[in-house]
Amino acid sequence: MAYEVTASRRRPQRFEDLIGQDFVSATLQKSIASGRIAHAYLFSGPRGCGKTTSARILAKALNCEHGPAPTPCGECVHCREIARGSSLDVIEIDGASNTGVNDVRQIKDEVLFPPNSCRYKVYIIDEVHMLSMSAFNALLKTIEEPPPYVVFIFATTELHKVPATIKSRCQQFNFRLVPAELLKNALAAAAGENGIQADSEALYWIARQGNGSVRDSYTLFDQVAAFSDGHITFDKIKDKLGLTGFDQMNRLAEACAGKDPGQALSILDEILESGVSVEQCITDCAEYFRNLLFLQTGITKESLLGQNPSRFPKTVRQAWGRHEAEKGLETMLRLFRDIRYSLDSRCELELAVAKLCWLANSVSPEELYQAFAAARDILAAGGTAGIPAAGIPESFREKSPAKAEGSAQPAWQTADAPASAFPETPGNAGTNRTAAGSGNSAPVPPAELPKALAEYFRNSKTMLSAVFSQTSRWEKHGGEISFSVSKPLQFQQMETEKACIQEAIRVLSGEDLHLSIRLEKAAEEESQSAIPPQVEAVCNVFRGTVLPRQKQAPRREAQQTGTEDSGENRE
């Protein structure tokens, strides 16, 4: 007999033989057994999942001499003719090459005649989405009220292109991608039928390359079996198809994790010199980081990884966590999209591998959020206690320096202080006002007011809270309290929030005092070169520097103030 490809030789002949389509099989079998046979069916799903095969099985089940039966016998004349494609009453039409109204008109003329020898005349229209809109409209009446002996079966890979008027007249069945585990078992059975030995790792690779398509998996299996000499191994697949070996990927990952760009680029050169294309190398790197990401999230399913988890080196798993694996996978996916526009794709790959050597130094969004939260706490606390000179601050452990163990707290913030002594918030505003008015709160002396006010506005007005640490010369004379600021911006901010600050002072001190804010001009000029301790602490956290303020040109200042340049400025 002539050679027959595995996809055709192992084509299912019964609903029970369909792989991964339990819902479709069970529903159709129940419908046939109960006699509830529809006049039109619409099968949709990815390629190679069994749509056309299911249509042929349904045609055999309807026309079997022992039926209609949920399971056709496969031995009668009608079953054999339908399996060979020679039945006169089962008409398969290619929708891609019969797209016009004239083709549909021919179908409308043919349905008027009963079947020749079968029980039903079945029309199987594959790739039905390729029909023109006029052809769809011409088919509407026929599929809505066909003769009782006619059944339409439509198959498509692009369901969204089928008009809603067609969908509403059909029973719809959505075919799913087949899991890799089921594909691996089917490939193992095919290898056993052919007397071929196959390693589990090689079959998993073929199943994953099939992307859920049974036909694609069988086609790749035939290709691999042709050069495997009766024994399919992953090493043979790697050598013949030009893939990056897993051991080579481990060596490359270990060099990158060890921050050795020279070694990493040398290994990459060996991989490319062995005949692996740049595109294939990028694909293999992306696959490696994908599997590493699964491992770092606790997924060790071998059918999903395609490798035994123990084959991944401990040095790589310890050096790269979940964030690094995500970053590496994102880098490779972006690189694969960009190389089509690159002047030199190999140079792009080498640059990406060099960047992978510093993958451990990348900052995750979570760490960045913690850093900003720590900087906010530093500014709001008004001090630098517990902040190291360099590196990651202790406040990254979600502990505010102001609340760190052993740090000083205002008297009104201690646990034994009355409730009215705490800062006023939206939840206790009424309580504080009542307590302050009745004289039951512990008054805060003027010397402690800056720190108390900074804590008071810490959650509601963070920027205002930070300014209080830079105020000076707090004085109280009778019914008036005053303090000084050194910068015009701070003075403007304080004046804007003056009413709010005065109310806070009344709550904290228990006295209704008039507030006066002073701007010290001399201190303003001195502050140009001085760096506040809070800013210096934030610079230590982020390893940054403060740039000197640049004076604006006279013309630019005139434009900002809306005045014209004078002759002196132009000179």
Side-chain angles (χ1 to χ4, degrees):
M1 295 179 62
Y3 172 74
E4 188 177 11
V5 297
T6 303
S8 299
R9 179 171 53 84
R10 290 184 55 83
R11 184 186 292 273
Q13 301 299 323
R14 306 179 305 164
F15 285 116
E16 292 85 347
D17 298 334
L18 287 175
I19 302 176
Q21 310 300 337
D22 298 336
F23 168 75
V24 175
S25 302
T27 305
L28 290 177
Q29 285 183 304
K30 293 290 184 181
S31 300
I32 296 172
S34 61
R36 298 181 178 182
I37 301 172
H39 55 266
Y41 296 89
L42 178 59
F43 295 164
S44 63
R47 67 183 187 278
C49 292
K51 298 184 296 298
T52 305
T53 298
S54 299
R56 293 175 181 174
I57 297 174
L58 178 58
K60 288 195 296 183
L62 295 176
N63 290 317
C64 181
E65 290 182 357
H66 305 284
T71 301
C73 66
E75 301 295 335
C76 65
V77 176
H78 299 317
C79 288
R80 292 199 302 269
E81 288 181 348
I82 295 173
R84 292 195 303 265
S86 60
S87 176
L88 296 177
D89 296 321
V90 178
I91 302 98
E92 292 193 28
I93 301 174
D94 180 18
S97 57
N98 299 274
T99 61
V101 177
N102 293 331
D103 301 310
V104 174
R105 184 180 294 115
Q106 182 179 353
I107 296 175
K108 295 177 64 177
D109 295 339
E110 291 178 356
V111 298
L112 299 177
F113 300 96
N116 293 300
S117 58
C118 295
R119 189 178 297 108
Y120 289 93
K121 179 178 285 189
V122 181
Y123 286 90
I124 301 175
I125 304 180
D126 204 2
E127 301 301 330
V128 70
H129 64 273
M130 299 294 290
L131 295 180
S132 64
M133 186 57 64
S134 300
F136 275 126
N137 293 333
L139 198 59
L140 289 178
K141 189 65 176 178
T142 304
I143 65 174
E144 184 175 10
E145 297 178 357
Y149 49 79
V150 174
V151 174
F152 289 95
I153 305 176
F154 304 134
T156 178
T157 55
E158 301 184 33
L159 181 62
H160 61 280
K161 292 185 178 181
V162 180
T165 52
I166 296 293
K167 296 178 184 178
S168 64
R169 290 167 169 81
C170 304
Q171 284 191 9
Q172 299 183 42
F173 291 86
N174 296 321
F175 287 69
R176 304 174 181 176
L177 292 172
V178 181
E181 187 70 30
L182 296 179
L183 288 177
K184 183 257 183 183
N185 296 335
L187 293 172
E193 291 177 358
N194 293 333
I196 300 175
Q197 296 181 359
D199 293 349
S200 177
E201 182 181 4
L203 293 180
Y204 269 130
W205 181 86
I206 296 174
R208 284 169 42 243
Q209 292 299 312
N211 294 322
S213 172
V214 182
R215 183 172 60 239
D216 291 1
S217 300
Y218 281 147
T219 302
L220 183 57
F221 171 80
D222 289 339
Q223 181 181 0
V224 171
F227 60 73
S228 296
D229 298 328
H231 188 188
I232 300 176
T233 64
F234 185 73
D235 291 335
K236 292 180 180 179
I237 294 174
K238 175 192 66 176
D239 295 336
K240 299 298 182 181
L241 298 184
L243 306 179
T244 307
F246 191 77
D247 295 336
Q248 291 176 307
M249 287 303 306
N250 276 336
R251 290 177 56 212
L252 180 62
E254 286 181 315
C256 293
K259 299 182 179 181
D260 189 351
Q263 180 69 13
L265 292 175
S266 177
I267 296 174
L268 177 62
D269 179 67
E270 295 178 9
I271 294 174
L272 297 179
E273 290 297 326
S274 65
V276 179
S277 64
V278 173
E279 292 79 5
Q280 186 62 50
C281 185
I282 296 174
T283 302
D284 294 336
C285 288
E287 182 71 14
Y288 187 90
F289 278 106
R290 168 190 175 271
N291 296 336
L292 183 62
L293 175 60
F294 284 154
L295 281 178
Q296 300 296 36
T297 53
I299 299 175
T300 58
K301 188 177 180 181
E302 187 173 352
S303 61
L304 190 60
L305 300 176
Q307 305 286 344
N308 192 303
S310 61
R311 296 192 62 181
F312 289 85
K314 291 184 179 180
T315 55
V316 175
R317 299 178 62 176
Q318 293 174 356
W320 288 342
R322 179 180 60 84
H323 165 69
E324 287 76 15
E326 291 176 355
K327 195 72 174 178
L329 178 57
E330 181 183 3
T331 300
M332 288 301 160
L333 293 178
R334 186 188 304 111
L335 177 61
F336 190 83
R337 292 192 297 266
D338 293 344
I339 57 174
R340 68 182 67 180
Y341 306 110
S342 175
L343 295 176
D344 189 342
S345 58
R346 174 165 179 164
C347 183
E348 294 273 3
L349 177 58
E350 291 170 344
L351 178 61
V353 170
K355 290 181 179 179
L356 291 179
C357 294
W358 310 107
L359 199 60
N361 291 351
S362 61
V363 180
S364 67
E366 181 181 0
E367 293 172 340
L368 190 61
Y369 170 78
Q370 292 178 354
F372 278 111
R376 179 195 61 193
D377 292 345
I378 294 170
L379 292 174
T384 59
I387 305 301
I392 304 299
E394 295 178 359
S395 57
F396 271 33
R397 299 195 294 268
E398 297 183 354
K399 181 190 293 185
S400 171
K403 296 183 180 180
E405 184 177 354
S407 60
Q409 292 182 332
W412 52 270
Q413 198 181 11
T414 56
D416 55 350
S420 58
F422 285 88
E424 182 178 6
T425 62
N428 63 2
T431 304
N432 285 346
R433 290 192 185 97
T434 305
S438 59
N440 294 329
S441 61
V444 178
E448 295 185 10
L449 273 177
K451 188 178 296 185
L453 287 170
E455 191 68 24
Y456 183 94
F457 292 108
R458 178 180 178 182
N459 295 326
S460 59
K461 299 179 182 296
T462 306
M463 297 302 297
L464 182 62
S465 173
V467 174
F468 281 106
S469 61
Q470 303 179 35
T471 59
S472 61
R473 296 178 59 188
W474 283 74
E475 300 174 355
K476 179 183 176 184
H477 300 285
E480 182 180 16
I481 188 169
S482 61
F483 63 88
S484 301
V485 293
S486 58
K487 298 181 180 179
L489 183 61
Q490 296 174 348
F491 178 78
Q492 183 179 0
Q493 184 178 5
M494 288 289 186
E495 285 290 336
T496 304
E497 302 287 351
K498 186 173 182 179
C500 185
I501 299 172
Q502 189 166 335
E503 174 64 17
I505 293 175
R506 185 189 67 80
V507 171
L508 296 174
S509 64
E511 301 181 51
D512 193 3
L513 301 174
H514 177 70
L515 177 62
S516 177
I517 305 173
R518 300 184 300 270
L519 174 62
E520 296 183 355
K521 299 294 184 180
E524 176 189 359
E525 297 177 357
E526 295 176 359
S527 64
Q528 298 293 331
S529 58
I531 300 177
Q534 296 83 3
V535 177
E536 186 176 0
V538 174
C539 290
N540 291 334
V541 171
F542 293 100
R543 301 178 183 178
T545 58
V546 179
L547 298 177
R549 179 180 298 179
Q550 297 179 353
K551 294 184 178 181
Q552 295 178 331
R555 179 177 178 82
R556 185 177 177 183
E557 292 180 356
Q559 290 177 349
Q560 292 179 349
T561 56
T563 60
E564 297 182 357
D565 291 344
S566 63
E568 181 181 355
N569 287 340
R570 286 195 296 269
E571 293 175 358

